[in-house]
Amino acid sequence: MLPQAAWRLDPSPAIWPDEVRVRVDRLNLDAASFRQLREASGGDPAAIRTAVLEIIASRGKMHNPVTGSGGMLTGIVAEAGGSSPLGLRPGDRIATLVSLSLTPLAVTDGLARWDGRSGQVPCAGHAILFGRSIAAVLPADLPVPLALAVLDVCGAPALTHRVVTAAVAGAGRGRPGPVVAVLGAAGKSGSRSAAAARRAGAGPIIGLVPDEREAALLRTAWRGARACDQVVIADARDPVAVAAAVSGAGGPADITIVCVDVPGCEGGAILATAQGGTVIFFSMATSFTAAALGAEGVAADVTMLVGNGYVPGHAQLALDLIRAEPSVKALFENRLGDRPGRRRQPGEDGDGRG
Amino acid sequence: MLPQAAWRLDPSPAIWPDEVRVRVDRLNLDAASFRQLREASGGDPAAIRTAVLEIIASRGKMHNPVTGSGGMLTGIVAEAGGSSPLGLRPGDRIATLVSLSLTPLAVTDGLARWDGRSGQVPCAGHAILFGRSIAAVLPADLPVPLALAVLDVCGAPALTHRVVTAAVAGAGRGRPGPVVAVLGAAGKSGSRSAAAARRAGAGPIIGLVPDEREAALLRTAWRGARACDQVVIADARDPVAVAAAVSGAGGPADITIVCVDVPGCEGGAILATAQGGTVIFFSMATSFTAAALGAEGVAADVTMLVGNGYVPGHAQLALDLIRAEPSVKALFENRLGDRPGRRRQPGEDGDGRG
């Protein structure tokens, strides 16, 4: 059984030769998990803390049994086994890029320093990284919260970059780049996917957002950088509206990227995409059957990709993008300023996939 | 709202210029839907009939509200609108290749001729095909039940053919074809996907089945044709066992095709696939999050495709395959002989996706 499917992991601190033990200093619960815990606890910080401690104690990992999700962590490498392939050394300050739902974890401080008001959880304890794990050494030139936010969803821009690059190569030299539509373009993964598409040689990029507030945010942030050539407003859950908006802005899209973290966006993405085109689903709210039967139901010959969160080099690409694109950095910093209790709107992406 | 997402469709017989009205003679309920109806009705045929009639009357389509699925239908074209793109003429005997869950339907005979014992439902009534629909004219040279079974899951071999063809072209002339693993290789979509992979130029094809009975079926059927070079036995829900079995038979696979209609096969498919390889998920039991987080969790750089049931030319390809491959035809006829009440085993694929 793989560690995510297991109900309980063994969090004992001894490591095998291909493992790494990390001294944990912070958990970053994913947005869906924290929201569920807050709601189930009636917003009482002490009750949330108790709930998290009980999950970790009973499962050996911070794997929310209701949402199925986890989050990520940061810490300092304490010991690296001699045959660990991760390239980490004791003392490295790292963030894990695999979900907490499959990471053995023990907490020793009762989460005493956590106020229970956000998914950012200061903590003391240890975690084990397996041989086939992923971790990134945190860069010295970026604030930790910004670096964490960037790394949290770094699979999306990397896979976008790969797919757009292949489309550009397939079209041949001198041909216009593919039309790219990004649903949820003002969000964290959406904005960086747009920037990655631009960097990979995309043609016109159409950013779809749910309302004028998001559109203004996107237009302001992109000023100068113009990663999106067109900003359109539509409810991503309304297939006909999405198709019309993308079509009216130069679509249909050759490549459509779904970064809207609400259910029901499959049909719009499919209808907005040209025959022979590609849809990449990054949203964890995607329904496999809705995508498969939806495409079949409208005779859409589109390639549909499950947004794999892992692409080799994804962490480096994501950090490079944020350094190179002040506009994306500005959008991120804006997002980080959001209050945790603020109601999320359709069209925003969540705080990571874990 | 798209017709599948709508609770109720308007089944009135008048057609728009791009629509087609069909005189229905048979519904082919999908396996998941029929099983649910039978269990909910305690196996009483009259109760099942009443349940189906109530669904059709209240929803204007045979869209099982519990399973979310439908099935397909056969009938005779009664009227084709002047601008219908489907190329059908009055009198054509057809099968629909889109789900009943999005097909307006009215029944006029109370399903009086149906015994309620299988998902094959003789019926009188009419259905409407939209402009963006898919239907196949039934071939004169094949028995209707066989043709229906073939058409029911015809997306799988077509997409397999496309993906393998691209891999062969990408590898370059004279290079060996890709290693292909088919999980659920003795089933309907699995056997035809293996045959399609062979036809597209695959290298070694590894067929995985759950038990010795299925293995024997596959070995017998393939005798002479040898669409699978290796037959291995493992529980597709056990990731480590699947990876070991495929690896021991010449894997890891460059392309893994998941045709096992039970939940929990994502991890095995991912682990059995080489870095840089592709997994195609045809099973409607696939979980999007299990696939996305599973690949990320083991740092698997695999392209994961949602098995789109529609690929242009898929019906023709499927019928050609069954004509050309006696072994596949034999497997199909064996499957058609299964009693409806027989307990399905993990490793068999279901009777269609709809």
Side-chain angles (χ1 to χ4, degrees), chain B residues 243-272:
Chain B
V246 171
S247 180
D254 299 304
I255 299 168
T256 300
I257 301 162
V258 183
C259 297
V260 181
D261 208 7
V262 294
C265 302
E266 301 86 0
I270 290 164
L271 277 188

Side-chain angles (χ1 to χ4, degrees), chain A residues 142-209:
Chain A
L142 294 174
V144 169
L146 179 62
L148 277 186
V150 169
L151 292 171
D152 193 16
V153 287
C154 61
L159 184 55
T160 298
H161 191 274
R162 176 187 283 187
V163 170
V164 173
T165 299
V168 169
R173 183 181 293 271
R175 303 291 299 274
V179 177
V180 174
V182 180
L183 311 191
K188 289 198 304 187
S189 57
S191 62
R192 284 182 307 131
S193 295
R198 172 70 79 210
R199 178 177 278 215
I205 299 178
I206 303 161
L208 186 139
V209 293

Side-chain angles (χ1 to χ4, degrees), chain B residues 106-121:
Chain B
V107 165
T108 54
D109 69 345
L111 305 180
R113 287 175 294 143
W114 184 34
D115 64 6
R117 294 174 184 279
S118 86
Q120 296 274 337
V121 185

Side-chain angles (χ1 to χ4, degrees), chain B residues 189-314:
Chain B
S189 57
S191 62
R192 284 181 307 130
S193 295
R198 172 71 78 211
R199 180 177 277 215
I205 298 179
I206 303 160
L208 185 139
V209 293
D211 54 35
E212 191 51 57
R213 193 187 68 86
E214 295 264 325
L217 186 66
L218 192 53
R219 288 194 197 99
T220 308
W222 292 132
R223 188 178 298 155
R226 296 214 332 127
C228 287
D229 299 285
Q230 301 270 348
V231 178
V232 297
I233 296 175
D235 183 337
R237 298 165 296 186
D238 179 341
V240 175
V242 172
V246 171
S247 180
D254 299 304
I255 299 168
T256 300
I257 301 162
V258 183
C259 297
V260 181
D261 208 7
V262 294
C265 302
E266 301 86 0
I270 290 164
L271 277 188
T273 306
Q275 293 288 90
T278 298
V279 179
I280 315 178
F281 292 105
F282 285 114
S283 165
M284 297 308 278
T286 302
S287 155
F288 183 89
T289 48
L293 293 179
E296 190 175 322
V298 294
D301 177 21
V302 294
T303 298
M304 295 184 287
L305 293 174
V306 178
N308 182 349
Y310 175 70
V311 176
H314 61 341

Side-chain angles (χ1 to χ4, degrees), chain A residues 43-44 81-82 87 98 121 131 148 156 191 197 226 229 232 262 266 318 341:
Chain A
D44 173 25
V98 296
V121 185
L148 277 186
S191 62
R226 295 213 333 127
D229 299 285
V232 297
V262 294
E266 300 86 1

